[in-house]
Amino acid sequence: MKTRLNRRLFLALSAISASLILGSKWLEPALAIFTSGQSDAVQSGDVTDTSAVIWARNNGERNARLVVKLSQSPNFQGSVQIIRGSEVSIATDYTGKIDIVGLRPNQTYYYRVFWEQGLFRIRPGGTGSFRTAPAAVQPHPVRFVWGADLAGQGWGRNPNLKITAYDGDVIQGGYVIFDVMRKLKPDFAIFAGDIIYADNEIPLTKEIPAEVGGGTWVNSPAKNFKAVTLEEFRENWKYNLGDEKFRRFLAETPIYSQWDDHETVNNWYPGEILTEEPYNGLSADVLAERAKQALFEYNPIRGKQIYRKYQYGKHIDLFLLDERSYRGPNPENSNPNGIEMLGQEQFEWLKQNLKASQATWKVISSHDPLSIVTGGTSDRDAWGQGLPEVLGREVQLSKLLKFIKDEGIKNIVVITADVHYPAAISYEPERAVFQDFNPFWEFVIGPIHAGAFGPNELDPSFGSKYEFISAPGTETPQLPQNVPPPNFHSFGSAEVNRQGQLRVKIHDITGKVLYEKMLEPEK
């Protein structure tokens, strides 16, 4: 005999199901309601001592509510929280994030993402973990990594790329450097810009220069467009998330994200009119608005500003800058009256937060280098322009360095990328044209997976000097520019111990240490 399910019984069963789903115990379904060929990506970011942003994308591309199950147990035993977020839809390209608060400092949390669609339709997503920052008074050891320049110049996801890591492991296929960075077990990672190359196509194949082995580079898949529409910017982020090693790194390592130019288009500045194909007279402001929307959709960034500050225990304050959104025109970077790099609001924010910082080290993540000269003579893209006089954006930099000295702010260190080669640069007043500042260090890394270039000249205004450099042009005989992984590819790591000593390392793509510097804190 067949039993008919009447409306009253259906509603009663629905209520029981809902109470079980949303109660202290989660009923995980045996079958997903909708599936995808690629596992859902998850990531955490903008971690503090009591909060973290959890991000996920529903690859089933259905309207659904983001739900996060959170526990301090990897098996989700004992105390478990269920946090329900907003519904994702085509308006956010099925991405969503939840800012989880009320966490305990210096604790590891595990999370599992679910997609909820009505009372019965629950689809499991990805899993991940993160560690909250130590409290501001805790002198806890901290290790972080930073990287930039991913999938540029047509060097994409190559299944044949193979390296032997520093511990002997053979790693093959795709973005191999992320498996190497995972081995260091960093507390967090900083992505210092150019994490997509929206303005670069990725062809099916590229010829590898004979000087670095020759042969044919294979991209699987290819990407045959430069981004103009919002959807095309989103596709660039999805291209990178298609890499298994990248997704695994993101699931285990909380990140702090910035942007630079290639998230939009090379060397762009506000007000620029883009005349080349495929932009054809489009304003860079319009293009950047689309690029920024995709950036925030695909990164666990808290709030609406790219520039922001986070404290990580007693010893580190991290300052993430936005040197794209407020800058003056690149062709005016030799203006003797100065032009903007940070904009006045961000500039005052940076000065006042540096002054207020009680952390041992003030780590400034500047996605554009301070003295390495970039761009052509009429398109100087970074702070410097190669002239000894303090000009253009250097006027604002000189004011910042003087403010740091006048206010007695100690222990400034700058980390950066952009130029596609690693370097360590010291700054000394006695070598400088502008001398009203305290000595400091700048550490440069990259690319993590793009074309390797360099070296570039140093602007002499602030007494900069290469203490270490490794680039195709420094070899004897010189190698060509734009060489693919694994040649000259690098990332950075930094460790601060309980005593507040900061050890900065530059690693090659295998994890081998190319250069390291121990910095003693000034009291």
Side-chain angles (χ1 to χ4, degrees):
M1 184 178 70
K2 293 183 180 180
T3 301
R4 296 182 63 185
L5 185 64
N6 64 31
R7 183 174 182 272
R8 182 173 296 177
L9 178 59
F10 173 81
L11 292 175
L13 290 173
S14 297
I16 293 170
S17 176
S19 67
L20 289 172
I21 289 169
L22 300 175
S24 60
K25 295 198 175 186
W26 189 282
L27 295 184
E28 298 176 13
L31 295 175
I33 297 303
F34 38 86
T35 60
S36 172
Q38 173 189 306
S39 62
D40 285 1
V42 296
Q43 55 185 318
S44 64
D46 280 17
V47 168
T48 73
D49 57 346
T50 61
S51 66
V53 177
I54 303 298
W55 175 99
R57 183 176 192 274
N58 182 351
N59 281 347
E61 296 191 345
R62 301 281 185 90
N63 290 11
R65 185 178 300 279
L66 172 60
V67 183
V68 170
K69 181 178 182 181
L70 187 73
S71 174
Q72 289 185 257
S73 163
N75 298 318
F76 294 87
Q77 303 296 317
S79 177
V80 174
Q81 290 179 266
I82 304 297
I83 305 100
R84 301 173 79 244
S86 59
E87 185 177 90
V88 305
S89 68
I90 194 172
T92 60
D93 202 25
Y94 305 100
T95 66
K97 46 192 173 183
I98 300 177
D99 194 350
I100 300 178
V101 299
L103 305 178
R104 296 171 58 194
N106 202 33
Q107 299 292 316
T108 299
Y109 287 88
Y110 302 88
Y111 62 92
R112 181 173 294 155
V113 165
F114 289 84
W115 299 104
E116 177 184 288
Q117 208 176 35
L119 292 176
F120 288 109
R121 290 181 283 185
I122 304 291
R123 175 183 181 270
T127 60
S129 64
F130 63 90
R131 190 170 186 84
T132 51
V137 296
Q138 289 184 308
H140 198 276
V142 175
R143 175 187 294 152
F144 68 88
V145 296
W146 83 96
D149 313 316
L150 179 60
Q153 290 73 53
W155 309 111
R157 289 159 46 193
N158 183 353
N160 303 320
L161 177 62
K162 182 188 295 186
I163 64 166
T164 301
Y166 65 95
D167 61 358
D169 282 356
V170 176
I171 304 173
Q172 180 169 342
Y175 299 151
V176 295
I177 200 166
F178 287 107
D179 270 3
V180 176
M181 288 195 287
R182 283 180 61 241
K183 292 175 180 291
L184 299 186
K185 300 186 183 303
D187 294 294
F188 62 88
I190 300 167
F191 287 168
D194 292 345
I195 299 302
I196 63 169
Y197 277 72
D199 57 337
N200 284 193
E201 295 181 355
I202 299 177
L204 283 172
T205 60
K206 278 178 69 74
E207 292 305 308
I208 301 172
E211 294 88 342
V212 291
T216 301
W217 178 278
V218 177
N219 287 309
S220 180
K223 177 179 72 87
N224 63 352
F225 62 89
K226 299 178 181 180
V228 177
T229 67
L230 173 60
E231 181 56 38
E232 288 170 337
F233 283 108
R234 290 166 168 170
E235 288 297 322
N236 277 270
W237 292 102
K238 283 184 276 192
Y239 182 92
N240 285 345
L241 288 172
D243 183 80
E244 180 184 10
K245 295 176 177 63
F246 187 39
R247 291 198 309 275
R248 187 162 52 227
F249 180 84
L250 292 173
E252 296 179 5
T253 313
I255 65 172
Y256 301 90
S257 294
Q258 295 167 274
W259 73 345
D260 192 20
D261 52 341
H262 291 286
E263 281 84 1
T264 306
V265 65
N266 185 49
N267 290 5
W268 76 273
Y269 54 85
E272 182 182 11
I273 301 300
L274 306 168
T275 58
E276 68 274 16
E277 291 281 350
Y279 312 108
N280 299 323
L282 184 67
S283 168
D285 296 346
V286 173
L287 199 68
E289 184 179 356
R290 299 167 187 168
K292 188 175 182 180
Q293 179 175 336
L295 172 79
F296 275 80
E297 287 175 344
Y298 276 87
N299 286 270
I301 299 173
R302 177 181 286 109
K304 298 180 179 180
Q305 291 285 7
I306 295 172
Y307 71 85
R308 56 209 193 278
K309 167 191 169 291
Y310 286 103
Q311 183 159 5
Y312 210 94
K314 178 180 179 179
H315 291 312
I316 290 181
D317 262 353
L318 175 61
F319 297 84
L320 302 157
L321 302 186
D322 178 2
E323 296 160 332
R324 279 289 148 197
S325 301
Y326 313 100
R327 63 168 54 206
N330 285 5
E332 296 181 15
N333 202 13
S334 58
N335 189 320
N337 298 318
I339 62 170
E340 291 288 349
M341 182 60 139
L342 302 176
Q344 286 303 301
E345 183 176 322
Q346 182 179 192
F347 186 45
E348 289 303 317
W349 166 88
L350 178 58
K351 290 193 298 180
Q352 296 312 312
N353 278 276
L354 285 170
K355 183 178 178 179
S357 173
Q358 298 298 308
T360 305
W361 291 98
K362 293 80 176 169
V363 179
I364 300 175
S365 183
S366 169
H367 51 81
D368 280 333
L370 303 189
S371 62
I372 298 177
V373 180
T374 67
T377 55
S378 62
D379 187 32
R380 294 304 191 198
D381 191 58
W383 289 87
Q385 67 295 109
L387 301 173
E389 298 84 6
V390 175
L391 303 169
R393 300 183 182 112
E394 292 174 339
V395 174
Q396 191 168 66
L397 180 57
S398 69
K399 292 177 181 178
L400 176 62
L401 295 178
K402 185 179 188 303
F403 176 85
I404 290 169
K405 178 183 177 183
D406 291 347
E407 295 295 333
I409 301 169
K410 306 296 184 183
N411 306 321
I412 299 289
V413 64
V414 178
I415 60 174
T416 189
D418 181 59
V419 292
H420 293 233
Y421 63 88
I425 302 170
S426 64
Y427 290 80
E428 293 286 349
E430 60 266 24
R431 297 195 298 252
V433 175
F434 177 85
Q435 299 184 325
D436 200 4
F437 70 96
N438 295 325
F440 67 96
W441 283 78
E442 178 182 31
F443 299 96
V444 190
I445 56 83
I448 55 174
H449 190 105
F453 292 85
N456 297 11
E457 65 174 311
L458 290 179
D459 187 292
S461 300
F462 303 104
S464 56
K465 178 185 176 183
Y466 280 125
E467 304 291 350
F468 163 78
I469 184 172
S470 177
T474 62
E475 296 293 293
T476 304
Q478 290 188 5
L479 297 177
Q481 300 292 291
N482 191 19
V483 296
N487 308 280
F488 301 97
H489 284 61
S490 64
F491 67 96
S493 73
E495 301 173 59
V496 61
N497 59 23
R498 291 185 183 274
Q499 293 71 41
Q501 296 170 307
L502 181 66
R503 185 185 300 274
V504 182
K505 299 178 182 179
I506 297 174
H507 306 256
D508 72 9
I509 197 172
T510 71
K512 176 185 175 182
V513 177
L514 301 175
Y515 177 84
E516 65 179 285
K517 178 70 178 180
M518 174 68 86
L519 300 174
E520 296 285 343
E522 288 188 67
K523 303 297 183 181

